């Protein structure tokens, strides 16, 4: 058989093999879950974690994380209101350090497919010696250790600027029933926010990431 005939035979064979392959629509993902009647990506049937659950999960995180109730940090009312936000602030020497640190948090959030509110601002503090991420996490900073041995007359408060970056975790929680919709206050900015397991999982990973050497160099 000549070269043209051989080439034609090879083309026909490859075409037939392609036709015999199963189509993409026929392939089944072995890791796919069975479809459900209701979309529930957070495993809470559209609800948020309760106050008790949030307090229990908060104990698993490092120091500095706070629960926010409808925009208020302390829930002093007797009503058992579920928190709407999980928030933590970090302190930096420069704006550039804060920007680099939040870049790490942004990449981490992207990998986990859960996105917090992040911001940074320049804040004037009355005493720079009191600003420390280690002290915020329950430790004692080197500055605080050195000043603790000084007498009250020797202590001097130094006013200055620091950069504060904020990470605020929450999950969109739409009303699941008409009754829930009617209960919502239209003036509230937190009416569709709540906390899920994903928020605490993200917070745990932020704790791990912020303790890495490349991130601790960006913190005060």
């Amino acid at each position: 058989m000549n070269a043209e005939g051989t080439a034609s035979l090879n083309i026909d064979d490859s075409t037939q093999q392609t036709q015999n392959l199963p189509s993409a629509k026929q392939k089944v993902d072995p890791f796919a879950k069975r479809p459900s009647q209701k979309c529930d990506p957070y495993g809470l049937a559209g609800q948020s974690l309760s106050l008790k659950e949030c307090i229990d999960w908060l104990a698993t995180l490092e120091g500095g994380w706070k629960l926010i109730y409808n925009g208020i940090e302390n829930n002093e009312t007797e009503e058992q209101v579920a928190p709407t936000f999980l928030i933590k602030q970090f302190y930096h020497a420069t704006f550039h350090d804060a920007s680099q640190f939040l870049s790490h948090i942004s990449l981490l959030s992207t990998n986990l497919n859960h996105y917090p509110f992040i911001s940074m601002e320049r804040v004037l503090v009355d005493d720079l010696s009191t600003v420390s991420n280690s002290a915020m996490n329950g430790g004692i900073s080197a500055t605080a250790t050195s000043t603790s041995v000084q007498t009250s007359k020797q202590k001097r408060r130094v006013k200055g600027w620091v950069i504060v970056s904020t990470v605020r975790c929450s999950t969109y929680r739409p009303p699941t029933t008409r009754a829930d919709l009617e209960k919502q206050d239209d003036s509230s900015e937190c009416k569709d926010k709540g906390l899920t397991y994903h928020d605490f999982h993200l917070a745990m990973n932020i704790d791990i990431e912020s303790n890495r050497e490349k991130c601790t160099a960006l913190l005060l």
Side-chain angles (χ1 to χ4, degrees), residues 2-208:
N2 56 21
E4 293 182 359
T6 304
S8 177
L9 180 60
N10 292 336
I11 292 174
D12 292 341
D13 291 342
S14 61
T15 303
Q16 186 176 2
Q17 291 175 359
T18 303
Q19 292 176 349
N20 293 333
L21 291 175
S23 63
K25 293 182 179 179
Q26 295 175 346
K27 292 182 179 179
V28 179
D29 184 1
F31 298 101
K33 296 181 179 179
R34 296 182 61 183
S36 59
Q37 295 181 352
K38 182 182 291 187
C39 179
D40 186 22
Y42 299 103
L44 293 169
Q47 302 298 317
S48 303
L49 291 173
S50 65
L51 174 61
K52 182 182 182 304
E53 290 173 320
C54 289
I55 293 176
D56 291 341
W57 279 101
L58 183 64
T60 66
L61 304 177
E62 290 189 354
W65 289 100
K66 299 176 182 178
L67 297 173
I68 304 296
Y69 307 83
N70 291 325
I72 303 173
E73 180 178 336
N74 296 321
N75 183 22
E76 298 179 352
T77 61
E78 295 182 359
E79 185 180 357
Q80 297 293 309
V81 180
T84 49
F85 298 110
L86 178 65
I87 188 172
K88 186 172 184 177
Q89 292 182 322
F90 299 88
Y91 302 104
H92 315 270
T94 67
F95 209 73
H96 183 255
D97 287 346
S99 177
Q100 283 189 302
F101 178 78
L102 290 182
S103 294
H104 288 287
I105 303 302
S106 300
L107 182 59
L108 174 65
S109 303
T110 302
N111 291 337
L112 294 176
N113 195 29
H114 197 68
Y115 306 93
F117 168 86
I118 56 177
S119 66
M120 56 184 179
E121 59 179 334
R122 190 168 177 250
V123 177
L124 182 63
V125 295
D126 293 331
D127 191 357
L128 288 174
S129 64
T130 61
V131 179
S132 170
N133 289 283
S134 59
M136 177 184 61
N137 291 333
I140 301 177
S141 64
T143 306
T145 305
S146 61
T147 56
S148 63
V149 297
Q150 297 178 356
T151 64
S152 58
K153 292 183 179 180
Q154 293 174 324
K155 287 183 180 179
R156 237 176 77 185
R157 298 199 326 184
V158 180
K159 203 172 193 178
W161 294 92
V162 295
I163 309 301
V164 180
S165 63
T166 302
V167 180
R168 191 185 70 191
C169 305
S170 65
T171 303
Y172 174 65
R173 302 277 76 196
T176 56
T177 63
R178 183 177 295 275
D180 293 338
L181 183 62
E182 293 175 352
K183 288 180 183 178
Q184 286 184 343
D185 182 8
D186 293 336
S187 62
S188 174
E189 298 180 356
C190 312
K191 60 182 181 179
D192 57 354
K193 300 293 190 300
L195 294 176
T196 63
Y197 298 116
H198 288 62
D199 296 304
F200 287 93
H201 181 242
L202 174 61
M204 290 178 186
N205 281 272
I206 290 175
D207 285 339
I208 296 173

Side-chain angles (χ1 to χ4, degrees), residues 101 104 108 205-219:
F101 178 78
H104 288 287
L108 174 65
N205 281 272
I206 290 175
D207 285 339
I208 296 173
E209 187 69 19
S210 61
N211 283 313
R212 298 187 190 277
E213 184 177 355
K214 59 184 178 183
C215 285
T216 54
L218 303 173
L219 301 172

